[in-house]
Structure formats: C-alpha cells, structure tokens
Amino acid sequence: MKKFKISILAAIAITGLVFTGCSSDDDAPAPVNEEEVITTVTVTLIPATGPTVTLTSRDLDGDGPDAPVFDISGNLAANTSYIGSVVVLNETETPAENITLEVIEEDLEHQFFYDASTSLNLTTNNLNQDSEGNDLGTTFTVTTGDASTGTFTVTLLHEPTKPNTGLGDANGETDAEAVFNVVIQ
C-alpha cells in the first residue's frame, strides 16, 4: 500500500510538471516588422509652366563605404510654385521595390520632412495627411522666392511623434535622409 501511495504522488508530481512545462508560452508571437532597405530617394517637382525638376539620391551600398550619388535634373525657377512628390526605392532588389507604397500603407508610423537651409529661398507646405489627419508628406507643395542656393533635405522618419512641429520634436528613427544642393535662379 505504501508503494502505491508513492506511485500516485509521483504521477501527480509528473503531471504537474508536464502541465507547467506546457504553459501559455506558445502564444502567437507579435508580427515582426522588418526594417526597410532604402537605397534611393527621388523628389519630383512639377511647376504650372516650365520644366519638371527631379532630385535623386542613390546609395546602392546602403551604409557601405560608397557615398550616395546625386542627380539633379536642373535648377528651380525663382518665384514659382511646384507640386511635389517623393518616391523611395529599394534598388538592391530586381525589380526595385517601391517602399513608398509601404510608407503609405503604414502612414501612422511614418512621416517625410522637408527642410531648406537658411540660405535657400524655398518653403514647403501642404503635406498630405495620414489616416488620423497628421502630416505624412508623400506629396507637398514647394514655393520658391528670389534666386538663391542652399541645401534641401528630405528625411523619412519611422514612428515619429505625431503631431509635431518638425524634426526637432518628432523623435522617431531615420529611415532615409537625402541632402540636395539646390539652385534657384
């Protein structure tokens, strides 16, 4: 009889260990949102009249040793309004992956910022909005003033604080940044 009691106690203990070992650790894991690879940033600026201007930054080795290659199709016209749009690509894939589509799909988690240096007579306004009415910036307007030169920086942030007043209080993580040398004439 004593031997039977020990066996029952051992069975209870083993059962307890089995159920403890099968706890709810197998809950569905959170989906992994892999970081995008962005090699190319292209800004297209279309005036009411005159030539379209494209600004392209291409860095095919990402964080590698090679510097990005910049291509600017022409100078901006003074005192002109442009309708702007931006496209970001991953050109390490064939065909190139349009990351802008993912940015639009995950609009609450992304925002483009456009900053002109103080020497450049250019303002950016009318950024398109995300699904909660905050700036997204895949489309925008650019207005130039008198002739000048300077830099025009395009930055894509991941998970910025929204709303914000600009890069200074947006926090988040930089997905892409391109600094273009621009001439207004």
Side-chain angles (χ1 to χ4, degrees):
M1 184 68 174
K2 188 174 183 180
K3 189 175 184 181
F4 180 71
K5 284 184 182 178
I6 291 173
S7 295
I8 290 175
L9 289 175
I12 292 171
I14 290 172
T15 303
L17 287 174
V18 168
F19 283 111
T20 303
C22 296
S23 68
S24 62
D25 289 346
D26 56 345
D27 292 340
V32 176
N33 189 5
E34 293 185 27
E35 189 171 310
E36 304 89 4
V37 173
I38 297 174
T39 60
T40 307
V41 176
T42 300
V43 174
T44 302
L45 300 172
I46 302 172
T49 60
T52 296
V53 176
T54 57
L55 315 169
T56 301
S57 170
R58 183 173 283 120
D59 190 359
L60 297 178
D61 70 344
D63 291 334
D66 297 333
V69 175
F70 292 91
D71 181 29
I72 299 175
S73 68
N75 296 330
L76 296 175
N79 303 308
T80 302
S81 293
Y82 293 85
I83 296 171
S85 62
V86 64
V87 173
V88 288
L89 302 175
N90 174 6
E91 292 190 287
T92 63
E93 296 184 4
T94 304
E97 179 183 12
N98 186 344
I99 305 297
T100 312
L101 301 174
E102 186 175 329
V103 169
I104 292 169
E105 185 177 306
E106 299 174 354
D107 63 348
L108 299 178
E109 300 172 12
H110 294 92
Q111 184 176 347
F112 282 95
F113 294 85
Y114 303 93
D115 289 309
S117 63
T118 55
S119 63
L120 187 64
N121 198 351
L122 179 152
T123 57
T124 306
N125 293 301
N126 302 318
L127 280 64
N128 66 329
Q129 308 291 297
D130 65 23
S131 57
E132 292 186 352
N134 295 306
D135 288 343
L136 175 60
T138 55
T139 62
F140 52 94
T141 59
V142 165
T143 305
T144 60
D146 294 337
S148 59
T149 60
T151 59
F152 181 64
T153 303
V154 179
T155 306
L156 172 61
L157 288 187
H158 184 81
E159 296 187 349
T161 301
K162 289 187 175 186
N164 56 64
T165 60
L167 281 172
D169 65 346
N171 302 309
E173 187 174 316
T174 301
D175 277 346
E177 182 181 76
V179 182
F180 299 98
N181 290 313
V182 173
V183 175
I184 298 172
Q185 63 179 22

